Amino acid sequence: MKKKSYLLVALLLLLGLILTACGGNSSSGDTTGNTGTGGDTTTGDTTAPLTCSDAIGCVEVGPDDPILIAYMLTISGATAFLGEDSRGGIEIAIADRGGKLLGHDISLTGEDTLCNAEGGQAAATKIAANTSIVGIIGTSCSSEARAALPTISGAGLVMISPSNTAPGLTNDDPATEGTWQPGYYRTAHNDLFQGRVAAEFAYNELGARTAATIHDGSPYADGLRKVFEDVFKELGGEITYAGAVNVGETNMSSVLTDIAANAPDIIYFPIFEPEGNFIAEQSGDFAALSNTKLMGADGLLSASFPEATGAAAIGMYLSGPAVSGDAYSAFLTKWDARFGGAPPSGFHAHAYDATNMLLDAIEKVAQVGADGTILIGRQALRDALTATANFNGLTGVLTCNATGDCATGEALAIYQVTEAEVSGGNWPPPIVWQP
Amino acid sequence: MRSRYFDNISWVSLILGILRIVILVLIVVGAYNTLSSGKYSAEAWVGLIASGLAQGSIYALIALGYTLVYGILLMINFAHGEIFMAGAMTASFLANSFARSGFLNQSPVLAIFILLCFAGLVSASIAILLERIAYRPLRGSPRLVPLITAIGASFFLQYTFRGLYGSGFQSYPGTVDALKGNLTIGSLQTPITLTQVFVFFCAFALMMALYWLVERTKIGMAMRAVSENKEVAALMGINIDRIIVITFALGGFLAGAAGVINGIYRPQGVFFRMGFFPGVKAFTAAVLGGIGSVPGAMLGGLFLGLVESLGPNLVLEGLGIPGANQLKDAIAFTMLVLVLIFRPQGILGERLAEKKA
């Protein structure tokens, strides 16, 4: 009897481990937030004559206190390159202002969101509990944003994402899987645009008529492949296979056997490392797939992808953000001076723009008291961000719409991986097409 | 007569019997539908079987570590997946420097042998330290205590390696020149890659070596004696502590070697959490085969690899289940539950109650 219960406990623990492996740290309890109780917790001067008349409360920053900005990015694990890339952009944007805003220091704090829903929820709960935070740059992954948004929005915060691209996040109609809530903005392109660019490139430029798509269950990949499939079919192409792989899977033979049974012209897998590497490499083992082209999206657009995948990545297409211009070159010089080398992914410029948008908006709405205390209305900050128009950023001219889409989608391109990226050293790969 | 016969059957065994039939019918119907649809060619099946066996032999190597430790201490070393990760990650640096210097392609046999030994030794030393620091002080405490400790140790190792090597991905050098291409028999090219053949035989050789060690040497005899009965073995002059250390070292060595074999087979995705899934799968394999049994772990690993590889395409697709290959892990763990229901001692396991209760 004792033995049996021991095995049972072992199995339960195993189950627990599996659950936590997907989650990292799950949040507990009360997540709906404390609406509108913003301003009164900072240690400000009580004699300040400023009054808060904001509908959802204010953040009060005492004369000697810093203005607190938080990031919610994935900075560990498989997708750390994405979060580190964005965090670098935020730090440079703050450094460009000398680390000061309205005479106060700008202080950056943050939470690791792990690129999954549980991580996003846990980070949101922690950040919403800190009422001195003015605004958030984040999240990295769309799945995190979807889970974090109810808490963040309920707490009256604003959140500007440099790299969320799932279409539903800036759609306020729940009937069409929209999950937008007030306070959410993004400087990243909407995948309605990226998926279309990918499908048009595949059909018109590569001449592909049949395509297979693979996603990994994340809203990012799922949304992107849906747009790709719709546009590809609309253009006259045929989808031969639409499936998914699990995160953490290493053996792709079963999905690739399925695809190879009816070999398409192109396989589109807008997923992340390392599953993307495994698909690219293992597709080489299938003779039927020798003429099939491979295409990924910005989730795989990092220097480590071709280096780790090796020769199998040569010739593969990747869609992703393409930023250029003098201001961007100057940004890259600053990056090299500060961190060394080139940014590890493609969303640093978006993070830089997001930070500047947020800081500009704070500057615009802040009421400054005689002793240096500042009061920032939370609703006023949202209104100021929504009103952002013709903002000259690195990624183009940004104008936000009512549901937080600020990017125009002009900064996109198709890259093709060559020998130089695989052998290391060269990044990014050459651009082969721009819409 | 008849009514008495039915009286003797409990509801539970009736339900289990029906469950057994339902599962068999599902498998047969699914397989029949898929095969009769003719979607997959013979090569596709051979390819799936080959990748299943290769993956399965890696599971089997890791599973041996679980089974050896369980056989002697009756504890499940949940940190074993991390021991696999430790060897795989550490050896990836050596593998890459071998590749850069050209040594790997010039003399692949020697290079891979050195890599296997290096990773094996790294993992074995970590396993020994783990035993000495985390498990030995708790020997004799209630059995749940070392189990929980193992989970703590697992996180400790993961984050230690994250601290050491960073949270990014490492990768092994791409396929060694000597292992490029497919296996050709005569003039016939099979869909089996040479890497898969290498994985299978390498794992097989290691498992045979272990089997020989356990069954034919003095150390092996001592290990078996300790697993039978610690007190009596001690009375016979066997140094229990030494045997336990050797057991951990052997399991660790195999896990480290499995790390290198895995790296040669699947070069990408080497990072600090890479040990988790193979660890859980190998534990499943060890239970499937009969935990505590060395041949059982080997068989369990191969069996699990095959089921995972063939299950989605052969059975689930024939049943019309969408997204079949996403359910790979579900198949693996369903197998585990079924085995625990119908044959709790595993495929080759002995009845625990008779031997070690």
Side-chain angles (χ1 to χ4, degrees), chain B residues 231-315:
Chain B
E231 285 78 24
V232 177
L235 289 177
M236 296 294 150
I238 294 171
N239 183 343
I240 308 273
D241 280 345
R242 196 169 140 255
I243 293 302
I244 291 174
V245 166
I246 288 172
T247 308
F248 270 88
L250 278 177
F253 187 91
L254 290 175
V260 169
I261 295 173
N262 179 65
I264 289 167
Y265 183 41
R266 303 270 181 243
Q268 300 90 14
V270 178
F271 77 124
F272 71 97
R273 269 204 282 256
M274 72 175 291
F276 177 72
F277 265 106
V280 170
K281 293 283 177 65
F283 170 68
T284 309
V287 176
L288 268 179
I291 195 150
S293 150
V294 170
M298 302 176 191
L299 202 72
L302 292 177
F303 184 62
L304 185 71
L306 270 183
V307 166
E308 257 190 13
S309 177
L310 284 173
N313 298 59
L314 184 63
V315 178

Side-chain angles (χ1 to χ4, degrees), chain A residues 81 165 189 191 194-195 198 214 220-221 224-225 228 267-273 276 294-302 305 316-321 345 347 412-415 427:
Chain A
F81 70 91
T165 56
H189 53 81
D191 274 342
Q194 187 178 194
I214 305 173
Y220 159 80
L224 206 43
R225 63 103 198 165
F228 178 90
I267 304 177
Y268 183 61
F269 49 105
I271 58 177
F272 296 99
E273 287 191 78
L294 303 176
M295 188 168 183
D298 43 16
L300 290 175
L301 190 67
S302 84
F305 169 69
M316 186 169 157
Y317 298 97
L318 295 167
S319 61
S345 184
F347 291 102
L412 270 171
I414 305 281
Y415 298 85
W427 189 257

Side-chain angles (χ1 to χ4, degrees), chain A residues 3 6 9 11 13 17 21 76-78 241 244 246 249-251 253-254 257-258 274 278 281-282 308-309, chain B residues 39-40 48 51 74-76 143-144 147 162 167 169 171 266 268-269 276 313 317 325-326 328 340 356-357:
Chain A
K3 197 130 305 168
Y6 174 67
V9 170
L11 272 178
L13 278 171
L17 267 179
S76 71
Y241 176 88
N246 292 321
E249 185 71 65
T250 58
N251 188 352
S253 60
S254 105
T257 305
D258 212 338
F278 289 125
E281 161 130 30
Q282 290 171 35
T309 312
Chain B
K39 181 179 172 189
Y40 299 110
L48 280 179
S51 84
L74 293 188
M75 75 162 272
I76 290 162
R143 293 171 63 189
L144 273 179
L147 189 72
R162 180 186 155 180
S167 61
F169 287 108
S171 63
R266 303 270 181 243
Q268 300 90 14
F276 177 72
N313 298 59
E317 227 179 277
N325 60 70
Q326 242 185 324
K328 219 176 217 179
L340 287 179
K356 293 176 193 131

Side-chain angles (χ1 to χ4, degrees), chain A residues 133 188 191 240 329 359 426:
Chain A
I133 288 174
D191 274 342
T240 57
S329 312
L359 297 178
N426 186 41

Side-chain angles (χ1 to χ4, degrees), chain B residues 89-152:
Chain B
M89 264 187 108
T90 313
S92 77
F93 295 97
L94 190 64
N96 281 314
S97 68
F98 278 0
R100 270 196 299 277
S101 70
F103 179 51
L104 190 62
N105 281 325
Q106 275 160 22
S107 44
V109 178
L110 182 63
I112 291 176
F113 183 74
I114 295 176
L115 282 176
L116 286 176
C117 290
F118 175 70
L121 290 177
V122 169
S123 288
S125 2
I126 289 176
I128 292 171
L129 281 177
L130 193 66
E131 194 274 332
R132 186 69 196 81
I133 296 168
Y135 301 149
R136 194 180 294 180
L138 297 172
R139 212 180 289 156
S141 53
R143 293 171 63 189
L144 273 179
V145 174
L147 189 72
I148 307 288
T149 310
I151 290 167

